[in-house]
Amino acid sequence: MFSHVILGVNNLDVSKKFYDAVLGTLGVPAGIANKNRYFYRSPTGTFGITTPINGEPATHGNGSTIGFLAQSPEQADACHAAGVANGGVTCEDPPGWREGPGGKLYLAYLRDPDGNKLCLLHRPAA
């Protein structure tokens, strides 16, 4: 459905370090520079970080979440740990299994250095 997602950040160096660590645990190569942006490419899409083009400070969306697919609960935990070790902050409930109308999910939430909310999600095979 999506071709790419781009988040505004205030410090490219801090955010690149954070996303290189988090996305690296998912097997995504380090961000590739393009002017005031970094792009992370995978076979299923592109994620980017950028300083805002209009020169205003980047802000996070209240109620917004970006979800990244994890292949296992262990990989979700590794991503979460890498994020916290690189300037992120844990949020929501601790990483773990949740039951919902869509079935059982393993979720790990954290905020990046600019306050953007991320979710590492593992959906077990049915």
Side-chain angles (χ1 to χ4, degrees), residues 20 40 42 49 70 119:
D20 281 357
Y40 298 83
S42 80
I49 56 174
C119 176

Side-chain angles (χ1 to χ4, degrees), residues 7-9 15 18-19 87-89 110-118:
L7 290 178
V9 301
S15 293
F18 175 87
Y19 283 106
V89 178
L110 72 152
R111 291 193 180 272
D112 75 4
D114 288 289
N116 296 297
K117 187 167 135 182
L118 310 178

Side-chain angles (χ1 to χ4, degrees), residues 22-111:
V22 170
L23 298 177
T25 63
L26 298 176
V28 177
I32 298 170
N34 181 336
K35 300 181 184 176
N36 62 324
R37 299 180 174 128
Y38 282 96
F39 290 103
Y40 298 83
R41 300 194 196 301
S42 80
T44 57
T46 299
F47 175 76
I49 56 174
T50 184
T51 54
I53 294 170
N54 66 3
E56 297 292 322
T59 59
H60 65 274
N62 188 22
S64 299
T65 303
I66 304 294
F68 292 100
L69 186 62
Q71 298 303 310
S72 67
E74 295 78 17
Q75 189 179 48
D77 287 343
C79 288
H80 185 271
V84 170
N86 286 279
V89 178
T90 192
C91 65
E92 302 290 332
D93 292 330
W97 290 101
R98 314 288 199 284
E99 279 291 333
K104 191 174 182 179
L105 302 172
Y106 191 90
L107 304 173
Y109 288 96
L110 72 152
R111 291 193 180 272

